[in-house]
Amino acid sequence: MIQPPNILTIAGSGSMYDFTGAPAPWMDYQAEIKQVSFTGTVSNVGAYAFRNLPNLTNVTFSAAVKTIGAGAFEGCGRV
């Protein structure tokens, strides 16, 4: 869900999906997303989940995040 001011919140539990063959559902908003915030008990960031978010400048991880998948933040702004 994208919340003002342009924060994408990733909530839930367990592992995120790897986006190796399909775009992430938030890619329609890729130019708008400036921050990503992990809440809940999400344990890993999916591969290529946030690639090509040109305005992404801040990521906040919960303590539950243990791994970051390949290319998860490839082509992003100043993360």
Side-chain angles (χ1 to χ4, degrees), residues 24-76:
W26 43 83
M27 293 314 286
D28 287 345
Y29 305 98
Q30 71 188 83
E32 298 173 35
I33 298 170
K34 294 182 180 179
Q35 297 181 54
V36 175
S37 177
F38 288 86
T39 64
T41 57
V42 175
S43 59
N44 79 297
V45 178
Y48 304 101
F50 305 102
R51 72 174 153 196
N52 298 324
L53 299 180
N55 296 312
L56 183 64
T57 57
N58 188 24
V59 179
T60 304
F61 297 101
S62 69
V65 175
K66 303 297 181 203
T67 60
I68 298 174
F73 296 98
E74 178 180 284
C76 289

